[in-house]
Amino acid sequence: MIPERQTPPLDRRAIFLDRDGVINRPLIRAGKPYPPETLDEFEILPGVRKACHLLKSLGFLLVVATNQPDVGRGTLTREAVETIHTWLLQKLPIDRVMTCFHGGADYGDPCECRKPLPGMLFQAAEELKINLAKSFMVGDRWRDVDCGLNAGCKTIFIDWGYNEPLKREPHFRAHDLLAAAQLIGQLETGTQARD
């Protein structure tokens, strides 16, 4: 008799991080954020390194989940995005970068991974054995909040005051990634009231 293969339990926890506006400074045009197109334009925001190290010390995996639709729309090369991600993995203790390169349904390039759909989070959960209910999604746009909610994660919204309203309420709000990491630390130690 062949023993049944057991699947490892989904007991790992992760912080899913949007990239632009959470990790790096976005380029703002007409009140809306846009991604940097080159490594020269890519600037890690203050406090991000400290936040990442704090989250890792709490036992979380760090997974970037980013929409990069300009690739699918033909205005940015995949190589440019991957160059930025390679550099980012060298600078921060990130475990995985999940990227949706699709242009979106409005551009004839629909998919299951473009936020607010939870495809990237589901894929990371399967590959890394992550328990989504014990994980967080941190983002600065409505797509990030909705993606986290759609995946069953707790959500933290970083409000930069973009000209773009939320569609659903996040669990928590923070003014930057370091404040979000400190909030998660408080939740972990029970010093913050849980909702």
Side-chain angles (χ1 to χ4, degrees):
M1 180 173 189
I2 300 173
E4 186 176 316
R5 186 174 176 189
Q6 292 186 342
T7 305
L10 299 176
D11 60 356
R12 298 173 91 185
R13 301 172 308 151
I15 307 297
F16 293 98
L17 302 167
D18 177 48
R19 193 190 80 175
D20 306 317
V22 174
I23 293 174
N24 63 281
R25 189 174 310 283
L27 306 175
I28 306 297
R29 296 184 199 121
K32 291 200 174 184
Y34 290 88
E37 295 179 1
T38 66
L39 192 51
D40 288 339
E41 292 177 343
F42 194 88
E43 177 190 348
I44 294 176
L45 289 164
V48 166
R49 283 183 181 85
K50 184 176 181 181
C52 289
H53 288 289
L54 172 59
L55 294 167
K56 292 296 284 184
S57 75
L58 294 170
F60 287 95
L61 294 172
L62 298 181
V63 179
V64 173
T66 180
N67 289 346
Q68 294 299 318
D70 292 342
V71 173
R73 297 171 188 169
T75 59
L76 185 62
T77 68
R78 186 176 182 137
E79 292 75 24
V81 173
E82 289 176 349
T83 296
I84 289 171
H85 291 168
T86 298
W87 181 84
L88 188 61
L89 287 166
Q90 294 169 355
K91 298 296 179 188
L92 298 174
I94 292 169
D95 296 289
R96 180 77 55 97
V97 176
M98 307 295 292
T99 309
C100 173
F101 292 108
H102 300 97
D106 291 347
Y107 291 82
D109 194 16
C111 64
E112 296 298 316
C113 56
R114 181 171 159 77
K115 295 179 291 183
L117 296 176
M120 285 188 282
L121 277 59
F122 287 164
Q123 181 182 350
E126 182 178 320
E127 292 174 4
L128 300 173
K129 308 301 180 216
I130 294 168
N131 182 331
L132 292 170
K134 293 181 179 180
S135 298
F136 290 82
M137 174 74 207
V138 180
D140 66 328
R141 300 183 75 181
W142 71 267
R143 290 180 175 281
D144 305 316
V145 171
D146 286 13
C147 177
L149 293 171
N150 291 338
C153 297
K154 294 283 188 190
T155 57
I156 301 177
F157 177 63
I158 296 176
D159 190 354
W160 289 105
Y162 301 142
N163 186 20
E164 179 182 85
L166 290 173
K167 295 188 177 187
R168 295 161 70 188
E169 278 300 309
H171 293 93
F172 305 99
R173 293 172 183 257
H175 65 272
D176 61 16
L177 182 56
L178 183 55
Q182 291 166 339
L183 171 64
I184 292 167
Q186 291 170 352
L187 292 169
E188 289 289 296
T189 60
T191 58
Q192 171 75 26
R194 294 179 188 264
D195 57 351

